[in-house]
CSV table of all heavy atoms in Angstrom, one decimal:
chain,number,residue,atom,x,y,z
A,1,GLY,N,13.5,-4.5,16.8
A,1,GLY,CA,12.3,-3.8,17.2
A,1,GLY,C,11.8,-2.8,16.2
A,1,GLY,O,12.6,-2.4,15.3
A,2,TRP,N,10.6,-2.5,16.2
A,2,TRP,CA,10.0,-1.5,15.3
A,2,TRP,C,9.3,-0.4,16.2
A,2,TRP,O,8.6,-0.7,17.2
A,2,TRP,CB,8.9,-2.1,14.4
A,2,TRP,CG,9.5,-2.9,13.3
A,2,TRP,CD1,9.7,-4.3,13.4
A,2,TRP,CD2,9.9,-2.5,12.0
A,2,TRP,NE1,10.3,-4.7,12.2
A,2,TRP,CE2,10.4,-3.6,11.3
A,2,TRP,CE3,9.9,-1.2,11.4
A,2,TRP,CZ2,10.9,-3.5,10.0
A,2,TRP,CZ3,10.4,-1.2,10.1
A,2,TRP,CH2,10.8,-2.3,9.4
A,3,PHE,N,9.6,0.8,15.9
A,3,PHE,CA,9.0,2.0,16.5
A,3,PHE,C,8.3,2.8,15.5
A,3,PHE,O,8.6,2.7,14.3
A,3,PHE,CB,10.1,2.8,17.2
A,3,PHE,CG,10.8,2.2,18.4
A,3,PHE,CD1,11.6,1.1,18.2
A,3,PHE,CD2,10.6,2.7,19.6
A,3,PHE,CE1,12.2,0.5,19.3
A,3,PHE,CE2,11.2,2.2,20.8
A,3,PHE,CZ,12.0,1.0,20.6
A,4,ARG,N,7.5,3.7,15.9
A,4,ARG,CA,6.8,4.6,15.0
A,4,ARG,C,6.6,5.9,15.6
A,4,ARG,O,6.4,6.0,16.8
A,4,ARG,CB,5.5,4.0,14.4
A,4,ARG,CG,4.4,3.9,15.4
A,4,ARG,CD,3.1,3.3,14.8
A,4,ARG,NE,2.0,3.2,15.7
A,4,ARG,CZ,0.9,2.6,15.5
A,4,ARG,NH1,0.7,2.0,14.3
A,4,ARG,NH2,-0.1,2.6,16.4
A,5,GLN,N,6.5,7.0,14.8
A,5,GLN,CA,6.2,8.3,15.2
A,5,GLN,C,5.1,8.9,14.3
A,5,GLN,O,5.4,9.2,13.2
A,5,GLN,CB,7.4,9.2,15.3
A,5,GLN,CG,7.2,10.5,15.9
A,5,GLN,CD,8.4,11.3,16.3
A,5,GLN,OE1,9.5,11.0,15.7
A,5,GLN,NE2,8.4,12.2,17.2
A,6,ALA,N,4.0,9.1,14.9
A,6,ALA,CA,2.9,9.7,14.2
A,6,ALA,C,3.0,11.2,14.2
A,6,ALA,O,3.6,11.8,15.1
A,6,ALA,CB,1.5,9.3,14.8
A,7,PRO,N,2.4,11.9,13.3
A,7,PRO,CA,2.5,13.4,13.3
A,7,PRO,C,2.0,14.0,14.6
A,7,PRO,O,0.9,13.7,15.1
A,7,PRO,CB,1.6,13.8,12.1
A,7,PRO,CG,1.6,12.6,11.2
A,7,PRO,CD,1.6,11.4,12.1
A,8,GLY,N,2.8,14.8,15.2
A,8,GLY,CA,2.5,15.5,16.4
A,8,GLY,C,2.5,14.6,17.7
A,8,GLY,O,2.1,15.1,18.8
A,9,LYS,N,3.0,13.4,17.6
A,9,LYS,CA,3.1,12.5,18.7
A,9,LYS,C,4.5,12.1,19.0
A,9,LYS,O,5.4,12.2,18.1
A,9,LYS,CB,2.2,11.3,18.5
A,9,LYS,CG,0.7,11.6,18.4
A,9,LYS,CD,-0.1,10.4,18.4
A,9,LYS,CE,-1.6,10.7,18.3
A,9,LYS,NZ,-2.4,9.5,18.3
A,10,GLU,N,4.7,11.5,20.1
A,10,GLU,CA,6.0,11.0,20.5
A,10,GLU,C,6.3,9.6,19.8
A,10,GLU,O,5.3,8.9,19.5
A,10,GLU,CB,6.2,10.8,22.0
A,10,GLU,CG,6.2,12.1,22.8
A,10,GLU,CD,6.4,12.0,24.3
A,10,GLU,OE1,6.5,10.8,24.7
A,10,GLU,OE2,6.6,13.0,25.0
A,11,ARG,N,7.5,9.3,19.6
A,11,ARG,CA,7.9,8.0,19.1
A,11,ARG,C,7.5,6.9,20.1
A,11,ARG,O,7.7,7.1,21.3
A,11,ARG,CB,9.4,8.0,18.8
A,11,ARG,CG,9.8,6.7,18.0
A,11,ARG,CD,11.3,6.7,17.8
A,11,ARG,NE,11.6,7.7,16.7
A,11,ARG,CZ,12.4,8.7,16.8
A,11,ARG,NH1,12.9,9.0,18.0
A,11,ARG,NH2,12.7,9.5,15.8
A,12,GLU,N,6.9,5.8,19.6
A,12,GLU,CA,6.5,4.7,20.4
A,12,GLU,C,7.1,3.4,19.9
A,12,GLU,O,7.1,3.2,18.7
A,12,GLU,CB,5.0,4.7,20.5
A,12,GLU,CG,4.3,4.4,19.2
A,12,GLU,CD,2.8,4.1,19.4
A,12,GLU,OE1,2.4,3.6,20.5
A,12,GLU,OE2,2.1,4.3,18.4
A,13,GLY,N,7.4,2.5,20.8
A,13,GLY,CA,7.8,1.2,20.4
A,13,GLY,C,6.5,0.4,20.2
A,13,GLY,O,5.7,0.3,21.1
A,14,ILE,N,6.4,-0.3,19.1
A,14,ILE,CA,5.2,-1.1,18.8
A,14,ILE,C,5.4,-2.6,18.9
A,14,ILE,O,4.5,-3.3,19.2
A,14,ILE,CB,4.5,-0.7,17.5
A,14,ILE,CG1,5.6,-0.8,16.3
A,14,ILE,CG2,4.0,0.7,17.6
A,14,ILE,CD1,4.9,-0.6,15.0
A,15,ALA,N,6.6,-3.0,18.6
A,15,ALA,CA,6.9,-4.4,18.7
A,15,ALA,C,8.4,-4.6,18.8
A,15,ALA,O,9.2,-4.0,18.1
A,15,ALA,CB,6.4,-5.2,17.4
A,16,CYS,N,8.8,-5.5,19.7
A,16,CYS,CA,10.3,-5.8,19.8
A,16,CYS,C,10.5,-7.2,20.4
A,16,CYS,O,9.6,-7.7,21.1
A,16,CYS,CB,11.0,-4.8,20.7
A,16,CYS,SG,10.2,-4.4,22.3
A,17,VAL,N,11.6,-7.8,20.1
A,17,VAL,CA,11.9,-9.1,20.5
A,17,VAL,C,13.4,-9.2,20.9
A,17,VAL,O,14.2,-8.7,20.2
A,17,VAL,CB,11.7,-10.2,19.4
A,17,VAL,CG1,12.0,-11.6,19.9
A,17,VAL,CG2,10.3,-10.1,18.8
A,18,SER,N,13.7,-9.7,22.1
A,18,SER,CA,15.1,-9.8,22.6
A,18,SER,C,15.7,-11.0,21.9
A,18,SER,O,15.1,-11.9,21.3
A,18,SER,CB,15.1,-9.9,24.1
A,18,SER,OG,14.6,-11.2,24.5
A,19,ASN,N,17.0,-11.0,21.9
A,19,ASN,CA,17.8,-12.0,21.1
A,19,ASN,C,17.9,-13.3,22.0
A,19,ASN,O,17.6,-14.4,21.5
A,19,ASN,CB,19.2,-11.5,20.8
A,19,ASN,CG,20.0,-12.5,20.0
A,19,ASN,OD1,19.5,-13.0,19.0
A,19,ASN,ND2,21.1,-12.9,20.5
A,20,ARG,N,18.4,-13.2,23.2
A,20,ARG,CA,18.7,-14.4,23.9
A,20,ARG,C,17.5,-15.2,24.4
A,20,ARG,O,17.5,-16.4,24.2
A,20,ARG,CB,19.6,-14.0,25.1
A,20,ARG,CG,20.1,-15.2,25.9
A,20,ARG,CD,21.1,-14.7,26.9
A,20,ARG,NE,21.7,-15.9,27.7
A,20,ARG,CZ,22.5,-15.8,28.7
A,20,ARG,NH1,22.8,-14.6,29.2
A,20,ARG,NH2,22.9,-16.9,29.3
A,21,HIS,N,16.5,-14.5,25.0
A,21,HIS,CA,15.4,-15.3,25.5
A,21,HIS,C,14.1,-15.1,24.7
A,21,HIS,O,13.1,-15.6,25.1
A,21,HIS,CB,15.2,-14.8,27.0
A,21,HIS,CG,16.4,-15.1,27.9
A,21,HIS,ND1,16.8,-16.4,28.1
A,21,HIS,CD2,17.2,-14.3,28.5
A,21,HIS,CE1,17.9,-16.3,28.9
A,21,HIS,NE2,18.1,-15.1,29.2
A,22,GLN,N,14.2,-14.4,23.6
A,22,GLN,CA,13.0,-14.1,22.8
A,22,GLN,C,11.9,-13.5,23.6
A,22,GLN,O,10.7,-13.8,23.3
A,22,GLN,CB,12.6,-15.4,22.1
A,22,GLN,CG,13.6,-16.0,21.2
A,22,GLN,CD,13.8,-15.2,19.9
A,22,GLN,OE1,12.9,-15.1,19.1
A,22,GLN,NE2,15.0,-14.5,19.8
A,23,ARG,N,12.2,-12.7,24.5
A,23,ARG,CA,11.1,-11.9,25.2
A,23,ARG,C,10.5,-11.0,24.2
A,23,ARG,O,11.2,-10.4,23.3
A,23,ARG,CB,11.7,-11.1,26.4
A,23,ARG,CG,12.2,-12.0,27.5
A,23,ARG,CD,12.9,-11.1,28.6
A,23,ARG,NE,12.0,-10.1,29.1
A,23,ARG,CZ,12.4,-9.2,29.9
A,23,ARG,NH1,13.6,-9.1,30.3
A,23,ARG,NH2,11.5,-8.3,30.4
A,24,THR,N,9.2,-10.8,24.2
A,24,THR,CA,8.5,-10.1,23.2
A,24,THR,C,7.6,-9.1,23.8
A,24,THR,O,6.9,-9.3,24.8
A,24,THR,CB,7.7,-11.0,22.3
A,24,THR,OG1,8.6,-12.0,21.7
A,24,THR,CG2,7.0,-10.3,21.2
A,25,TYR,N,7.5,-7.9,23.2
A,25,TYR,CA,6.4,-6.9,23.5
A,25,TYR,C,5.7,-6.5,22.2
A,25,TYR,O,6.4,-6.3,21.2
A,25,TYR,CB,7.0,-5.7,24.1
A,25,TYR,CG,6.0,-4.6,24.2
A,25,TYR,CD1,5.1,-4.5,25.3
A,25,TYR,CD2,6.0,-3.6,23.3
A,25,TYR,CE1,4.2,-3.5,25.4
A,25,TYR,CE2,5.0,-2.6,23.3
A,25,TYR,CZ,4.1,-2.5,24.4
A,25,TYR,OH,3.2,-1.5,24.4
A,26,VAL,N,4.4,-6.5,22.2
A,26,VAL,CA,3.6,-6.0,21.1
A,26,VAL,C,2.6,-5.0,21.7
A,26,VAL,O,1.9,-5.3,22.6
A,26,VAL,CB,2.9,-7.1,20.4
A,26,VAL,CG1,2.1,-6.5,19.2
A,26,VAL,CG2,3.9,-8.1,19.8
A,27,SER,N,2.6,-3.8,21.2
A,27,SER,CA,1.7,-2.8,21.7
A,27,SER,C,0.2,-3.2,21.5
A,27,SER,O,-0.1,-3.8,20.5
A,27,SER,CB,1.9,-1.5,20.9
A,27,SER,OG,0.9,-0.5,21.2
A,28,ASP,N,-0.6,-2.9,22.5
A,28,ASP,CA,-2.0,-3.2,22.4
A,28,ASP,C,-2.7,-2.6,21.1
A,28,ASP,O,-3.6,-3.1,20.6
A,28,ASP,CB,-2.8,-2.7,23.6
A,28,ASP,CG,-2.5,-3.6,24.8
A,28,ASP,OD1,-2.0,-4.7,24.7
A,28,ASP,OD2,-2.8,-3.1,25.9
A,29,SER,N,-2.1,-1.5,20.7
A,29,SER,CA,-2.7,-0.8,19.5
A,29,SER,C,-2.5,-1.5,18.2
A,29,SER,O,-3.2,-1.3,17.3
A,29,SER,CB,-2.1,0.6,19.4
A,29,SER,OG,-0.7,0.5,19.2
A,30,VAL,N,-1.6,-2.5,18.2
A,30,VAL,CA,-1.3,-3.2,17.0
A,30,VAL,C,-1.4,-4.7,17.2
A,30,VAL,O,-1.3,-5.5,16.2
A,30,VAL,CB,0.1,-2.9,16.4
A,30,VAL,CG1,0.2,-1.4,16.2
A,30,VAL,CG2,1.2,-3.4,17.2
A,31,LYS,N,-1.7,-5.2,18.4
A,31,LYS,CA,-1.7,-6.6,18.7
A,31,LYS,C,-2.8,-7.3,17.8
A,31,LYS,O,-3.9,-6.8,17.7
A,31,LYS,CB,-2.0,-6.8,20.2
A,31,LYS,CG,-1.7,-8.2,20.7
A,31,LYS,CD,-1.8,-8.3,22.2
A,31,LYS,CE,-0.6,-7.5,22.8
A,31,LYS,NZ,-0.6,-7.6,24.3
A,32,GLY,N,-2.4,-8.4,17.2
A,32,GLY,CA,-3.4,-9.1,16.4
A,32,GLY,C,-3.4,-8.6,14.9
A,32,GLY,O,-4.0,-9.3,14.1
A,33,ARG,N,-2.7,-7.5,14.7
A,33,ARG,CA,-2.7,-6.9,13.3
A,33,ARG,C,-1.3,-6.9,12.8
A,33,ARG,O,-1.0,-7.0,11.6
A,33,ARG,CB,-3.3,-5.5,13.3
A,33,ARG,CG,-4.7,-5.4,13.8
A,33,ARG,CD,-5.3,-4.1,13.5
A,33,ARG,NE,-4.6,-3.0,14.3
A,33,ARG,CZ,-4.0,-2.0,13.7
A,33,ARG,NH1,-4.1,-1.8,12.4
A,33,ARG,NH2,-3.4,-1.0,14.5
A,34,PHE,N,-0.3,-6.6,13.6
A,34,PHE,CA,1.1,-6.5,13.2
A,34,PHE,C,1.9,-7.7,13.7
A,34,PHE,O,1.7,-8.2,14.8
A,34,PHE,CB,1.7,-5.2,13.8
A,34,PHE,CG,1.2,-3.9,13.2
A,34,PHE,CD1,0.1,-3.9,12.4
A,34,PHE,CD2,1.9,-2.8,13.5
A,34,PHE,CE1,-0.4,-2.7,11.9
A,34,PHE,CE2,1.5,-1.6,13.0
A,34,PHE,CZ,0.3,-1.5,12.2
């Protein structure tokens, strides 16, 4: 997984993939770009 923390904001998960079933999450803020 990749997380990020912008200045003055909380850390957020932006993309992650599980190992066994390859479940995936991609944040709407980066979808299509990352």
Side-chain angles (χ1 to χ4, degrees):
W2 287 91
F3 290 70
R4 70 182 181 185
Q5 187 166 20
K9 294 187 177 181
E10 293 187 355
R11 187 180 285 119
E12 63 169 334
I14 52 173
C16 52
V17 184
S18 67
N19 181 56
R20 186 173 181 184
H21 299 297
Q22 296 292 291
R23 292 175 59 189
T24 302
Y25 169 83
V26 180
S27 170
D28 285 343
S29 63
V30 305
K31 194 169 292 182
R33 300 188 298 123
F34 291 13

